[in-house]
Amino acid sequence: MTGLTNMIILDEGDNVGVALRDIAANEQARSASGPQVPAVERIAQGHKIALRHIADGEAIIRLGVAVGIATAPIERGHLVHVHNVRSQYLNNDEDHYE
C-alpha cells in the first residue's frame, strides 16, 4: 500500500500524527495534507507517531491541544504512547490515561 494516506494530522500545530491503520516499521507514514514521516517502529491504528523530535518535558500536541507531556526525548517517527508520555492531569500507573 505504498503512497496511500495512512496517517492524519488534525491541526497544523500538532507534533504528532494519528495512524489511520497499522503502519509497519520502515513504512512511510503519509498524511493527505502532505507531510511524510518514516515510521521507525510499528505504529498501531489509532496510536500517535512523532512528526518531529519532541524533547523531554515538552507537550504532546494533537488537534492543537496538549494531550500529555513527554517523559523522555521522542525522536521523529517513533511511537508516542504511555511508555514515553504522561498525563498532565492523571497518573498513568493508576488511571491508565493514555
Side-chain angles (χ1 to χ4, degrees):
M1 291 191 167
T2 54
L4 299 179
T5 298
N6 55 10
M7 150 181 90
I8 188 167
I9 300 171
L10 299 167
D11 185 88
E12 66 182 35
D14 290 356
N15 58 11
V16 296
V18 179
L20 295 173
R21 62 165 176 79
D22 289 354
I23 300 172
N26 302 314
E27 181 181 356
Q28 284 291 323
R30 292 182 171 85
S31 169
S33 61
Q36 295 186 32
V37 177
V40 176
E41 57 191 313
R42 179 181 175 272
I43 310 296
Q45 179 179 8
H47 289 252
K48 297 177 288 300
I49 183 172
L51 299 176
R52 60 169 179 77
H53 171 81
I54 301 170
D56 184 6
E58 185 177 348
I60 305 301
I61 308 296
R62 184 187 67 206
L63 193 55
V65 176
V67 296
I69 299 170
T71 58
I74 307 169
E75 295 304 323
R76 182 176 187 252
H78 280 268
L79 176 66
V80 178
H81 199 52
V82 296
H83 67 289
N84 55 16
V85 176
R86 71 174 171 81
S87 170
Q88 300 177 94
Y89 310 105
L90 304 172
N91 178 326
N92 281 347
D93 293 333
E94 296 173 12
D95 301 311
H96 306 287
Y97 171 71
E98 278 285 313

